[in-house]
């Protein structure tokens, strides 16, 4: 079966605190988060910028979370105020996955990886692996 996997990576700087955590992560602090989004599809689609079905989806639709927090993304924002979930890396990945899904065609399988530090990351997908 023909399969395309679109990959993009971006970073954003943000503050957060982990609600209910017994330790220093409960205090407000910051990370440079790195995000990788993989979008896998067996068919190609049109997009907002291209009428013909020649893309998995537009890279721009995958990169929204890296934008300025005053323009709909997370960069230089306080994550606790920007997402309705506790801001563990696991929940951030799940939230980015859900929000990105709503911006792209339905036939795309997404995997979202979030690095909280250079050597600690989590991968989220809604499909069994
Ligand atoms: Zn943290």
């Amino acid at each position: 079966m023909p399969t395309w996997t679109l990959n993009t990576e971006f970073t954003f700087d943000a503050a957060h605190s982990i609600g209910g955590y017994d330790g220093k992560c409960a205090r407000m602090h910051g990370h440079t988060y790195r995000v990788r989004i993989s979008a896998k599809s067996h068919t190609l689609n049109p997009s907002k910028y291209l009428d013909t079905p020649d893309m998995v989806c537009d890279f721009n639709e995958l990169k929204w979370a890296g934008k300025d927090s005053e323009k709909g993304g997370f960069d230089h924002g306080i994550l606790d105020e920007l997402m309705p979930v506790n801001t563990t890396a696991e929940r951030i990945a799940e939230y980015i996955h859900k929000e990105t899904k709503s911006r792209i065609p339905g036939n795309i399988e997404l995997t979202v990886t979030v690095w909280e530090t250079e050597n600690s990351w989590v991968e989220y997908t809604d499909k069994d692996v």
Side-chain angles (χ1 to χ4, degrees), residues 5 10 24-26 34 37 42 46 52-53 69 73-74 91 98 105 116 125:
T5 304
F10 57 88
K24 66 180 184 178
C25 292
R34 177 163 205 83
I37 301 194
H42 300 304
T52 55
S69 60
F74 294 142
R91 291 295 190 195
K98 184 177 76 134
E116 197 174 72
T125 182

Side-chain angles (χ1 to χ4, degrees), residues 35-80:
V35 179
R36 176 188 295 150
I37 301 194
S38 295
K40 181 174 147 188
S41 181
H42 300 304
T43 57
L44 295 180
N45 303 295
S47 83
K48 194 159 74 178
Y49 308 98
L50 182 70
D51 289 338
T52 55
D54 295 316
M55 302 179 125
V56 172
C57 64
D58 205 286
F59 276 116
N60 271 323
E61 305 289 353
L62 300 178
K63 295 171 91 146
W64 65 273
K67 289 189 183 148
D68 188 326
S69 60
E70 291 183 352
K71 294 174 181 163
F74 294 142
D75 191 40
H76 286 69
I78 300 170
L79 296 184
D80 310 26

